[in-house]
Amino acid sequence: MRVYAESNFVLEIVLEQEQHLACEELMSLALGGSIELAVPAFATLEPHGTIVRREVEGDRLRKELALRMREVQRTASMAADASRLRDASELLIRAEHNASKRFLEVRARLLDAARIIALDGAALRAAAALVDEFGLKLPDAVMLASVLADATARPSPSLFLNRNTKDFYDPGIVARLGETRCEFVGSFDGGLARVRKMLETTSAG
């Protein structure tokens, strides 16, 4: 059984978001050879840009908090509470540091667990067409083009897991994936449930 994932799968683990445990289990299943995890090459790079943007936004917020803290400290009745702003600033610093560190760790594990789908000129041309056809942003179109090309070249029942249902849960996209025997699943928890069921069915058979 093949499972396709992309950038939001990586970020789910890096940022330890709501469904990160499902992603972790899918990676473990791939490492153990129970499933094939396939990830577009672009998905190993794009999350870094998201993390950098978070760092820039966090730095801007920290500066704003520092300014506010100085103002609060000038108010006698509030001076003792200024430490809460300092704590918030330190929490942001830790969160950003942890995200950068975890990204490198998760990417290294992903490279061991997954088959990386190469990005080539054909995928980029196909992505441009998908932008026009479905109104996708270019990064999303690159991900979809990579998955469609791989699923077409390697016909096999597969799942494309992606929490970005706003852009990808489009009837046309779902149909296009279906033509390659690839089913769109809009949650990692739901994808893991499907994988478990299919593995159980295979074992029983």
Side-chain angles (χ1 to χ4, degrees), residues 63-79:
K63 290 176 181 177
E64 178 66 19
L65 284 172
L67 177 62
R68 297 290 184 181
M69 186 167 59
R70 287 195 294 271
E71 293 174 354
V72 169
Q73 286 174 327
R74 294 175 61 191
T75 304
S77 62
M78 297 291 294

Side-chain angles (χ1 to χ4, degrees), residues 109-129:
R109 289 166 52 209
L110 187 67
L111 293 176
D112 290 333
R115 176 171 57 82
I116 306 302
I117 304 170
L119 178 61
D120 58 16
L124 291 174
R125 284 190 290 272

Side-chain angles (χ1 to χ4, degrees), residues 3-203:
V3 173
Y4 290 103
E6 50 107 27
S7 294
N8 54 25
F9 179 91
V10 179
L11 286 171
E12 193 81 12
I13 300 175
V14 170
L15 302 177
E16 296 181 298
Q17 294 176 333
E18 299 86 351
Q19 299 183 35
H20 76 279
L21 292 178
C23 299
E24 291 280 9
E25 185 169 339
L26 288 165
M27 283 239 287
S28 295
L29 288 170
L31 278 168
S34 297
I35 63 171
E36 178 189 15
L37 181 62
V39 178
F42 192 46
T44 68
L45 302 172
E46 189 192 25
H48 183 259
T50 300
I51 291 169
V52 169
R53 285 195 299 274
R54 285 168 58 96
E55 289 177 347
V56 171
E57 292 168 0
D59 186 58
R60 184 165 54 245
L61 182 54
R62 283 198 306 274
K63 290 176 181 177
E64 178 66 19
L65 284 172
L67 177 62
R68 297 290 184 181
M69 186 167 59
R70 287 195 294 271
E71 293 174 354
V72 169
Q73 286 174 327
R74 294 175 61 191
T75 304
S77 62
M78 297 291 294
D81 294 325
S83 61
R84 296 178 185 174
L85 292 175
R86 186 180 300 109
D87 291 343
S89 181
E90 290 174 356
L91 178 62
L92 283 172
I93 293 172
R94 288 201 306 274
E96 291 157 10
H97 174 74
N98 289 343
S100 295
K101 181 180 178 182
R102 280 180 59 78
F103 170 68
L104 296 176
E105 294 171 350
V106 170
R107 187 174 66 174
R109 289 166 52 209
L110 187 67
L111 293 176
D112 290 333
R115 176 171 57 82
I116 306 302
I117 304 170
L119 178 61
D120 58 16
L124 291 174
R125 284 190 290 272
L130 291 171
V131 168
D132 293 336
E133 184 174 359
F134 297 112
L136 293 171
K137 295 178 181 176
L138 184 58
D140 290 336
V142 169
M143 298 296 182
L144 180 59
S146 296
V147 169
L148 287 171
D150 190 78
T152 300
R154 301 166 182 262
S156 174
S158 57
L159 304 175
F160 178 32
L161 309 187
N162 198 316
R163 289 188 69 185
N164 182 9
T165 54
K166 178 178 178 293
D167 292 317
F168 284 98
Y169 195 51
D170 173 284
I173 292 176
V174 171
R176 186 71 62 82
L177 287 165
E179 292 170 4
T180 68
R181 302 175 69 191
C182 181
E183 178 185 352
F184 178 83
V185 180
S187 79
F188 302 127
D189 287 342
L192 176 59
R194 292 293 305 278
V195 166
R196 284 174 174 168
K197 185 175 181 180
M198 294 178 89
L199 291 176
E200 288 173 3
T201 301
T202 301
S203 298

